[in-house]
């Protein structure tokens, strides 16, 4: 009888230890989250700064009715440099950093967490998730980051398409929008953003993780070289951005409606207006060729920086 009670007590204690996280594991989890946040923040900052002039040029074409061509894009870059100076090519990049640093930090950290949760649910390690959960982890990470940082994205778009005299800094944009257009304007264009982020982030993370998995399988090396990571990231960016690009155009139109002369309208109305004025392909895919140039570069830098930072931090911790 006594032995039976003791055995029951041991089993209860073991079950409790299995359910309750140990202080060591909890501390390790916190370190992992902080590591992901730091790596993601640096990855986003480096990637966006590298392509900021191309990004600003793309936004200017997206929100106007001008016809896009590579020649016109580089002419715009050249005249901006002549008229406003070299650093003006990075106008709005401070707002981009304010948005991108938390966005990338949240997205990468959330992706690691979603991989862990889905891996636990499906009985796989995070790196070896089946295809659909792998796609879902990326989509959920992108949606989480976009939801938490969207007003900063709108502010960055406003600064990119307006002259310096209109908005002096990030806080000035927030103040003027709040006074002149109302606080709800800060989330204008949020729906197409989320609808675009789901395929973009989902396919980007899915492609990158899949290529790394295939590389491990066929090369026999546990880790790809940095230039291979860049190539995998470039492929991921190309696929993700091409799939979600029309919604990106709609989002930019809605975000900048208050300063470009376009009326505030719904997704459907904005979509119809673009198609009616500029045509389906020419209007909804305006600037895509520039995205094919900057997107793979940015995503390649971003994924590579994140992975290398994670490896470096693990070495430092050990």
């Amino acid at each position: 009888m006594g032995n039976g009670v003791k055995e029951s007590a041991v089993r209860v204690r073991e079950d409790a230890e299995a359910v309750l996280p140990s202080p060591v594991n909890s501390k390790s989890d916190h370190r992992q989250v902080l590591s992901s946040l730091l790596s993601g923040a640096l990855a986003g900052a480096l990637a966006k700064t590298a392509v900021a002039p191309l990004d600003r040029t793309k936004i200017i074409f997206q929100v106007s009715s001008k016809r896009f061509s590579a020649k016109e894009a580089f002419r715009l870059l050249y005249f901006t440099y002549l008229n406003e100076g070299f650093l003006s090519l990075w106008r709005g990049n401070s707002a981009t950093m304010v948005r991108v640093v938390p966005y990338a930090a949240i997205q990468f950290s959330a992706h690691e967490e979603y991989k862990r949760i889905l891996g636990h649910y499906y009985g796989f390690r995070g790196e070896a998730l089946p295809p659909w959960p792998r796609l879902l982890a990326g989509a959920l990470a992108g949606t989480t980051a976009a939801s938490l940082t969207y007003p900063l994205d709108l502010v960055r778009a406003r600064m990119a398409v307006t002259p310096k005299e209109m908005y002096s800094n990030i806080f000035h944009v927030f103040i003027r929008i709040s006074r002149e257009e109302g606080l709800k304007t800060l989330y204008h264009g949020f729906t197409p953003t989320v609808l675009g982020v789901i395929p973009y982030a989902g396919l980007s993370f899915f492609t990158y993780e899949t290529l790394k998995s295939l590389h491990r399988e066929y090369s026999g090396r546990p880790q790809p070289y940095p230039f291979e990571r860049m190539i995998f990231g470039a492929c991921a960016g190309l696929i993700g951005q091409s799939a979600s690009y029309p919604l990106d155009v709609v989002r930019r139109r809605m975000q900048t409606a208050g300063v470009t002369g376009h009326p505030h309208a719904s997704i459907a109305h904005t979509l119809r207006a673009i198609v009616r004025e500029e045509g389906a392909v020419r209007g909804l895919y305006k600037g895509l060729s520039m995205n094919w140039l900057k997107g793979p570069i940015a995503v390649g830098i971003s994924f590579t920086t994140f992975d290398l930072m994670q490896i470096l931090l693990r070495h430092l911790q050990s």
Side-chain angles (χ1 to χ4, degrees), residues 47-48 50-51 54 200 204 208 227-242 287-304:
K48 278 296 184 182
V51 299
L54 296 176
Y200 170 68
S204 295
Y208 186 69
F227 78 89
E228 291 173 324
R229 293 181 192 276
M230 283 287 291
I231 293 169
F232 299 162
C235 292
L238 196 63
I239 292 169
Q241 292 192 343
S242 298
L288 179 60
S289 56
M290 180 166 282
N291 239 38
W292 283 342
L293 173 62
K294 81 171 189 66
I297 295 171
V299 179
I301 291 172
S302 182
F303 278 125
T304 303

Side-chain angles (χ1 to χ4, degrees), residues 257-280:
V259 294
T260 57
H262 295 104
H264 287 294
S266 64
I267 299 173
H269 186 275
T270 305
L271 199 60
R272 284 197 300 269
I274 294 170
V275 172
R276 184 176 63 250
E277 293 168 13
E278 303 172 56

Side-chain angles (χ1 to χ4, degrees), residues 48 55 58-64 96 99 150 152-158 160-161 188-189 192-193 245-260 262 270 274 294:
K48 278 296 184 182
D55 209 24
K58 182 201 74 173
I59 292 172
I60 291 170
F61 275 99
Q62 283 183 329
V63 303
S64 72
T96 301
R99 178 191 74 91
Y150 182 77
L152 295 168
D153 186 41
L154 183 139
V155 167
R156 171 251 186 169
R158 288 287 182 98
V161 300
H188 196 62
T193 298
Y245 195 79
L247 285 164
D248 191 43
V249 175
V250 172
R251 167 176 69 120
R252 292 301 184 201
R253 280 288 180 95
M254 293 177 73
Q255 285 178 336
T256 58
V259 294
T260 57
H262 295 104
T270 305
I274 294 170
K294 81 171 189 66

Side-chain angles (χ1 to χ4, degrees), residues 18-315:
V19 172
L20 296 173
S22 70
V24 175
N25 287 339
S26 181
K27 191 175 180 181
S28 176
D29 288 344
H30 289 155
R31 280 182 179 174
Q32 191 174 348
V33 170
L34 287 173
S35 171
S36 298
L37 286 169
L38 178 61
S39 301
L42 182 61
L46 287 178
K48 278 296 184 182
T49 301
V51 299
L54 296 176
D55 209 24
R56 182 175 185 244
T57 303
K58 182 201 74 173
I59 292 172
I60 291 170
F61 275 99
Q62 283 183 329
V63 303
S64 72
S65 55
K66 294 178 185 176
R67 185 174 179 179
F68 177 85
S69 69
K71 183 180 177 181
E72 287 298 317
F74 285 106
R75 181 180 292 175
L76 176 61
L77 279 168
Y78 179 65
F79 280 111
T80 301
Y81 162 69
L82 286 181
N83 297 328
E84 300 179 45
F86 180 70
L87 291 179
S88 68
L89 296 173
W90 276 265
R91 173 163 167 74
N93 195 51
S94 57
T96 301
M97 289 300 100
V98 171
R99 178 191 74 91
V100 159
V101 168
Y103 179 90
I106 293 167
Q107 180 175 242
F108 278 107
S109 182
H111 182 246
E112 293 300 306
E113 287 302 302
Y114 286 128
K115 279 201 305 181
R116 184 180 61 80
I117 292 165
L118 291 170
H120 178 73
Y121 180 80
Y122 285 97
F124 288 88
R125 289 187 311 148
E127 296 79 24
L129 283 174
W132 281 112
R134 196 180 299 165
L135 187 68
L136 180 61
L140 288 171
T143 303
T144 302
S147 300
L148 294 174
T149 62
Y150 182 77
L152 295 168
D153 186 41
L154 183 139
V155 167
R156 171 251 186 169
R158 288 287 182 98
M159 289 190 74
V161 300
T162 53
K164 288 184 285 187
E165 298 76 26
M166 187 163 186
Y167 297 122
S168 55
N169 55 50
I170 299 166
F171 300 106
H172 190 209
V173 185
F174 275 112
I175 293 166
R176 283 196 61 174
I177 289 175
S178 302
R179 285 177 181 171
E180 298 171 12
E181 303 174 55
L183 283 172
K184 67 179 182 180
T185 304
L186 291 172
Y187 271 88
H188 196 62
F190 177 68
T191 304
T193 298
V194 171
L195 292 176
V197 154
I198 290 170
Y200 170 68
L203 287 170
S204 295
F205 279 107
F206 171 80
T207 303
Y208 186 69
E209 294 288 328
T210 300
L211 289 173
K212 284 203 301 181
S213 179
L214 290 171
H215 175 273
R216 276 194 302 270
E217 185 180 340
Y218 289 103
S219 72
R221 285 187 281 118
Q223 297 290 347
Y225 296 126
F227 78 89
E228 291 173 324
R229 293 181 192 276
M230 283 287 291
I231 293 169
F232 299 162
C235 292
L238 196 63
I239 292 169
Q241 292 192 343
S242 298
S244 61
Y245 195 79
L247 285 164
D248 191 43
V249 175
V250 172
R251 167 176 69 120
R252 292 301 184 201
R253 280 288 180 95
M254 293 177 73
Q255 285 178 336
T256 58
V259 294
T260 57
H262 295 104
H264 287 294
S266 64
I267 299 173
H269 186 275
T270 305
L271 199 60
R272 284 197 300 269
I274 294 170
V275 172
R276 184 176 63 250
E277 293 168 13
E278 303 172 56
V281 176
R282 188 180 296 171
L284 294 175
Y285 287 91
K286 180 191 291 185
L288 179 60
S289 56
M290 180 166 282
N291 239 38
W292 283 342
L293 173 62
K294 81 171 189 66
I297 295 171
V299 179
I301 291 172
S302 182
F303 278 125
T304 303
T305 303
F306 177 78
D307 277 357
L308 295 180
M309 274 295 294
Q310 287 285 86
I311 292 168
L312 175 62
L313 290 172
R314 276 198 296 269
H315 280 307

